[in-house]
Amino acid sequence: HHSQGARVNLAQLNEGQGDLAAAERLFREAIASGHPVEVPRASVLLGFLLQSQGDENGALHLWESAAESEAEEWSPRGALGAGHIHYERGQYEQAASHFSTVSQLRDPNQAAGAYYFLGLCQARLGDLAAAHSALEKTVEFGDPDLRAKAMQLLAVGGSSG
């Protein structure tokens, strides 16, 4: 009888070795266990596996359920994954709500990426003031690449004012 953490580790090992069916089965067993941390962890990881196989709806469902969990590390990862899918689909309001949750995090790297996409969503939704402030936060927290992207957008947005 595996602990759920060991089961998820084994699933990752199987995935790495290319046995995706076994990986998916183990992830789903961990999700069925109801464990407060391993369920969102397995959901996020299985989401990536499903996405890589072209099952975007399956990934979105798992990521949204992880996002609703209380798991400190995995809830934001679920929200980011779900936010990106909504963003790619042009569902900017749903995407923005996921990104705004993550932007409240203590982890500056996760927060910066969330602020960046939140800014893009808000710009698409026509809220340029909110977009501007989200991008300024990206500049404050982001790594050099992300800062450069945000500054470029701020420059464009500022001149077209």
Side-chain angles (χ1 to χ4, degrees), residues 16-100:
Q17 292 169 342
D19 189 348
L20 302 184
E24 181 171 345
R25 190 188 76 244
L26 288 160
F27 282 135
R28 291 198 185 280
E29 286 172 7
I31 290 167
S33 75
H35 188 285
V37 175
E38 297 307 329
V39 169
R41 179 179 168 221
S43 297
V44 168
L45 295 171
L46 179 56
F48 284 117
L49 174 61
L50 294 181
Q51 186 187 43
S52 73
Q53 294 179 301
D55 181 4
E56 196 178 69
N57 288 327
L60 180 61
H61 174 73
L62 287 164
W63 286 338
E64 297 208 301
S65 74
E68 287 162 19
S69 77
E70 300 291 306
E72 201 171 315
E73 181 184 353
W74 300 99
S75 172
R77 291 176 72 170
L80 284 172
H84 284 292
I85 289 181
H86 284 302
Y87 181 81
E88 297 296 324
R89 292 179 173 183
Q91 297 163 337
Y92 300 117
E93 283 176 25
Q94 292 98 311
S97 85
H98 283 300
F99 292 130
S100 69

